[in-house]
């Protein structure tokens, strides 16, 4: 076990370089299951409008990084998901194409919701949430 440096203004190289403790196997398996579930939801989100892809892929990468280096590398190098993860890792960047895609699909989802909503307050609440997400999304930096 590394000891603390005598001078509090210096960094102990050995302490900073110690790898984190491996997680117990039940936790790793739970995280791996969560990563696979999120990856499946993200893939479905590519096809189904209104279901977010980005959030599920980010959660899958987070869980895979802690449970399966092999799955994490696959996600990181994937032609569709890799750029999304790399952009997010570089300061939470979101491409303009992804912003426009989200805006179009959210607008289409809101239109369908307004046409079929039996309760106006539900359409108002969901549309307001989508508007808040779009405002947040468009304020993200671009790569």
């Amino acid at each position: 076990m590394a000891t603390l440096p005598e001078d509090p203004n210096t960094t102990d190289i050995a302490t900073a370089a110690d790898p984190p403790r491996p997680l117990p196997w039940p936790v790793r398996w739970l995280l791996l299951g969560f990563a696979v579930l999120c990856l499946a939801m993200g893939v479905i989100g590519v096809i189904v409008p209104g279901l977010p892809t980005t959030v599920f892929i980010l959660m899958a990468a987070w869980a895979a990084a802690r449970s399966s280096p092999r799955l994490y590398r696959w996600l990181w190098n994937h032609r569709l998901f890799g750029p999304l993860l790399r952009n997010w890792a570089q300061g939470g960047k979101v491409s303009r194409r992804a912003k426009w895609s989200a805006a179009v699909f959210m607008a289409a989802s809101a239109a369908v919701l307004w046409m079929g909503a039996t309760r106006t307050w539900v359409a108002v609440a969901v549309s307001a949430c989508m508007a808040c997400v779009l405002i947040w999304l468009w304020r993200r930096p671009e790569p």
Side-chain angles (χ1 to χ4, degrees):
M1 182 170 207
T3 60
L4 294 175
E6 307 228 352
D7 181 7
N9 295 325
T10 63
T11 303
D12 184 8
I13 305 279
T15 303
D18 287 344
R21 272 193 177 138
L23 295 171
W25 69 267
V27 175
R28 279 195 318 252
W29 279 102
L30 283 172
L31 281 173
L32 180 59
F34 181 70
V36 170
L37 176 67
C38 289
L39 179 59
M41 294 298 289
V43 169
I44 293 169
V46 170
I47 301 163
V48 176
L51 186 65
T53 299
T54 304
V55 174
F56 286 118
I57 298 304
L58 290 174
M59 289 191 302
W62 171 83
R66 284 150 185 79
S67 62
S68 172
R70 183 174 151 193
L71 177 59
Y72 182 72
R73 279 191 306 275
W74 181 82
L75 282 169
W76 190 262
N77 295 316
H78 192 271
R79 71 173 184 82
L80 180 63
F81 305 133
L84 182 149
L85 293 172
R86 289 188 293 275
N87 287 340
W88 189 258
Q90 295 172 350
K93 297 177 181 176
V94 179
S95 71
R96 186 170 296 240
R97 181 175 183 248
K99 290 177 183 181
W100 276 109
S101 176
V104 166
F105 281 115
M106 282 189 199
S109 297
V112 169
L113 177 67
W114 278 96
M115 287 187 287
T118 57
R119 300 209 185 330
T120 305
W121 69 269
V122 172
V124 169
V126 172
S127 296
C129 287
M130 285 193 286
C132 290
V133 170
L134 278 177
I135 290 168
W136 174 83
L137 184 64
W138 278 95
R139 293 178 51 95
R140 303 298 313 157
E142 294 179 5

